[in-house]
Amino acid sequence: MRWGIAGYGDVVERRVLPALRALGEEPVRLWGRDGGRAVRVAARHGVPVGGADVDMLIRDVDAVYVATPVVHHVPLAVHVLRAGLPVLVEKPLAGALGVGAGVGVDGLPCAGVAYYRRLAPAVRRLREELRGWTPERVEVRFRCAFDPGPGHPMRWRTDPALSGGGVLADAGSHRLDLLHLLFGRPEEVRARLGRRFPEGAERLAEVELRWASGTRALVRAEWSGEPPEDRFEVSGGGRTLTLDPLDSGRLHRHGAGGERQLTLPPAPNPHQPLIADFVAAVAAGRPPVCPFGQARLVDEVLVAAEHSDAAGGSPVPLPLPADGPSLDRAGAQAPSSADQARSHRGSGVSD
């Protein structure tokens, strides 16, 4: 397929473009808010056309990958889908921006969100191990260093109006998606968000999710200079399953039968199986590994976490599943020139 790419940050150069090339796909358009930078990145990677014209992005292509700051994810996806093209969007869909995340996509082209950990072999094995077992507790812990100063190309991620939140939307969104994959939508969220940047994004998020089944998950996501951590542990009934680090591919099992460790390495470039799945989904007319309808559950939690924190950590019930307005009624548009000027800096995405 011929691809248009929206964005030119680290995730595009280091993962998306190499994955497309490895799969025999053809990137032919590269769009960015800074047209000059888009042209330079396109030339560096052998993409024929680059620029800031959003209509150029969808001209003579078969699909589009969106990897911009979060504020533009839904508007660009709507623009692409209205042109009758499949779209794959970076995470989260809209974060806690609360606008446009619930758009419906029934009857429209294939639309997916880049929660690539769903395809990791160790995660798939963990899902198999959970069949027939309802754990009591899940503990998710993530920590890495992130403290961009003024003028840093990643400073936009500290402004919730562009990023849709702080560490919870940025890195926590992947972990929240895994919780949805394994257990479905929770019924209650409690959260405290703290140590905020001057622009408003939190450096620390402590979130508790509860399911009707009795399962409870505690999620702690943090940007700090302390030693890095990335742990996903499920336990109950004398049995524990742990991925530590989450992306190591090492699944540790502890229970009545003793201990065992399985090693199921992930792909060196996790975007390669993600894009391969999306290409296959388009060809087969099936949903991608994470369709919009499932991805927006993460955004529900992000919004609920903000409301809970504002209420001093009080519980916030999540809404029952409901169809959002159709794309034709959503009123979303391509990014305005004012939006483009406001968020002209880099569009890399962290994990």
Side-chain angles (χ1 to χ4, degrees), residues 19-308:
L20 289 170
R21 301 287 193 199
L23 292 167
E25 300 292 294
E26 186 180 4
V28 296
R29 301 277 190 273
L30 195 145
W31 175 87
R33 299 169 307 284
D34 181 334
R37 183 178 175 190
V39 169
R40 292 191 297 274
V41 174
R44 184 159 63 243
H45 291 276
V47 179
V49 180
D53 176 10
V54 74
D55 290 325
M56 170 275 295
L57 173 67
I58 59 175
R59 190 177 302 127
D60 298 324
V61 302
D62 303 304
V64 172
Y65 196 109
V66 176
T68 62
V70 176
V71 68
H72 298 316
H73 284 179
V74 169
L76 278 169
V78 170
H79 190 65
V80 173
L81 289 168
R82 282 180 172 165
L85 296 169
V87 64
L88 183 55
V89 185
E90 270 299 329
K91 55 78 194 171
L93 193 57
L97 292 164
V99 178
V103 292
V105 293
D106 290 345
L108 291 168
C110 186
V113 178
Y115 287 119
Y116 56 78
R117 284 182 174 87
R118 290 182 169 219
L119 292 164
V123 169
R124 291 192 158 191
R125 181 56 183 264
L126 174 61
R127 195 177 184 187
E128 292 176 6
E129 297 274 348
L130 285 169
R131 287 177 183 164
W133 173 42
T134 301
E136 300 162 8
R137 178 183 173 91
V138 185
E139 184 176 5
V140 181
R141 302 181 70 90
F142 172 85
R143 182 172 58 233
C144 77
F146 180 69
D147 190 18
H152 191 284
M154 291 293 101
R155 186 71 182 188
W156 68 268
R157 283 162 53 189
T158 71
D159 182 355
L162 299 176
S163 63
V167 67
L168 187 62
D170 192 289
S173 58
H174 270 294
R175 283 103 191 135
L176 293 173
D177 178 67
L178 291 184
L179 291 172
H180 288 131
L181 176 69
L182 298 174
F183 307 113
R185 174 195 263 127
E187 63 175 16
E188 183 183 277
V189 176
R190 294 174 182 258
R192 296 312 303 262
L193 310 175
R195 303 214 307 261
R196 294 182 182 269
F197 287 96
E199 291 84 351
E202 82 282 350
R203 294 180 174 92
L204 174 64
E206 296 176 309
V207 182
E208 180 180 345
L209 302 98
R210 292 179 181 271
W211 282 261
S213 65
T215 298
R216 181 179 65 156
L218 301 175
V219 179
R220 180 183 172 95
E222 181 180 12
W223 282 328
S224 81
E226 296 297 315
E229 184 177 25
D230 197 2
R231 180 182 180 89
F232 195 103
E233 184 172 277
V234 179
S235 60
R239 183 180 178 194
T240 302
L241 298 171
T242 308
L243 284 166
D244 187 14
L246 174 60
D247 294 330
S248 66
R250 296 191 298 271
L251 177 60
H252 187 264
R253 301 161 60 188
H254 177 84
E259 297 190 19
R260 183 184 176 193
Q261 180 170 289
L262 302 176
T263 302
L264 302 164
N269 179 352
H271 278 67
Q272 188 166 325
L274 172 78
I275 293 173
D277 170 83
F278 188 79
V279 171
V282 172
R286 64 163 174 84
V289 68
C290 186
F292 269 29
Q294 294 181 29
R296 71 187 187 191
L297 298 181
V298 172
D299 297 88
E300 285 186 2
V301 173
L302 298 176
V303 173
E306 290 283 356
H307 285 305
S308 176

Side-chain angles (χ1 to χ4, degrees), residues 303-327:
V303 173
E306 290 283 356
H307 285 305
S308 176
D309 180 65
S314 297
V316 173
L318 289 183
L320 295 174
D323 292 333
S326 72
L327 285 173

